[in-house]
Amino acid sequence: LLSRVFSRPFLRRCWRRSARARAWWLMIQFILLQNRQGKTRLSKYYRTYTDDEKIKIEAEIHRIVTTRDQKFTNFVEFKQYKLIYRRYAGLFFTLCVDVNDNELVYFESIHLFVELLDQFFGNVCELDLVFNFNKVYMILDEFFLAGEVQETSKQTILHRVQDLDKLE
């Protein structure tokens, strides 16, 4: 039932509705992929932070996400923002968004990003992220643009990334 409710057309409709009402400051602040040991495997910041602030934020988010009990929701208040995270195997995918943004759209966006990685790499693992970080950033940039969801079609994103991969 949930897969029908949160289908790709549903995401597109929700995103269009929320985009009309959203101001420029309502967006993804940053994206983090961290393993269980706290190593950040991917980070994309859409706001300016100093290196010290980034290190502090990453450590604090790792502490919050890894110590949180699994019976609680995957949405956490963090300063003036909201963290939306999802765990896949040993990796935590975390988005930091405005408190007024729709959590379920971002929660489903994390899943779509993981599906994109899985389809591109064929059963993705942490080593794929480490050794092919440039391709992971390509996928991320095709999916998210300037802190907003750019495209929700898996086939379109994968086709673009494969075309870019051929150029290398």
Side-chain angles (χ1 to χ4, degrees):
L1 179 66
L2 282 179
S3 62
R4 277 190 241 138
V5 172
F6 294 110
S7 65
R8 301 299 174 242
F10 171 78
L11 273 176
R12 286 187 197 112
R13 282 194 311 274
C14 286
W15 199 255
R16 282 188 209 118
R17 283 187 203 132
S18 64
R20 282 185 227 128
R22 182 179 321 153
W24 64 270
W25 60 85
L26 301 176
M27 63 178 201
I28 299 171
Q29 304 300 314
F30 54 82
I31 299 169
L32 293 177
L33 271 68
Q34 297 176 312
N35 64 11
R36 280 185 259 178
Q37 290 77 34
K39 292 201 186 243
T40 301
R41 296 304 185 187
L42 176 103
S43 64
K44 181 83 172 188
Y45 291 88
Y46 297 104
R47 286 192 51 216
T48 307
Y49 294 99
T50 65
D51 289 339
D52 291 337
E53 288 175 327
K54 288 178 184 178
I55 292 169
K56 185 178 175 185
I57 287 171
E58 290 171 10
E60 190 174 349
I61 288 174
H62 178 260
R63 184 186 52 77
I64 290 170
V65 169
T66 55
T67 58
R68 193 165 165 88
D69 196 0
Q70 288 184 350
K71 66 181 177 181
F72 296 129
T73 65
N74 293 9
F75 315 126
V76 182
E77 295 287 328
F78 176 72
K79 300 180 181 179
Q80 72 264 27
Y81 301 110
K82 190 182 309 181
L83 295 177
I84 298 158
Y85 69 94
R86 207 160 181 177
R87 180 179 174 199
Y88 289 93
L91 290 173
F92 291 92
F93 292 74
T94 308
L95 296 177
C96 179
V97 299
D98 188 73
V99 291
N100 298 323
D101 274 355
N102 187 345
E103 303 98 356
L104 295 177
V105 169
Y106 290 112
F107 192 68
E108 196 62 27
S109 295
I110 293 172
H111 184 68
L112 179 59
F113 181 60
V114 172
E115 285 179 345
L116 286 166
L117 291 173
D118 200 43
Q119 233 175 344
F120 186 77
F121 291 110
N123 200 10
V124 68
C125 67
E126 188 174 346
L127 290 176
D128 291 325
L129 302 177
V130 172
F131 293 118
N132 299 303
F133 67 91
N134 56 341
K135 293 178 184 177
V136 176
Y137 276 108
M138 271 195 313
I139 295 169
L140 185 67
D141 290 338
E142 288 296 326
F143 187 34
F144 296 110
L145 177 68
E148 297 287 340
V149 174
Q150 175 183 338
E151 180 64 57
T152 59
S153 170
K154 248 194 288 191
Q155 286 74 25
T156 304
I157 295 171
L158 287 173
H159 181 68
R160 288 180 189 165
V161 171
Q162 288 165 350
D163 287 346
L164 288 170
D165 198 30
K166 288 177 189 175
L167 294 174
E168 288 184 358

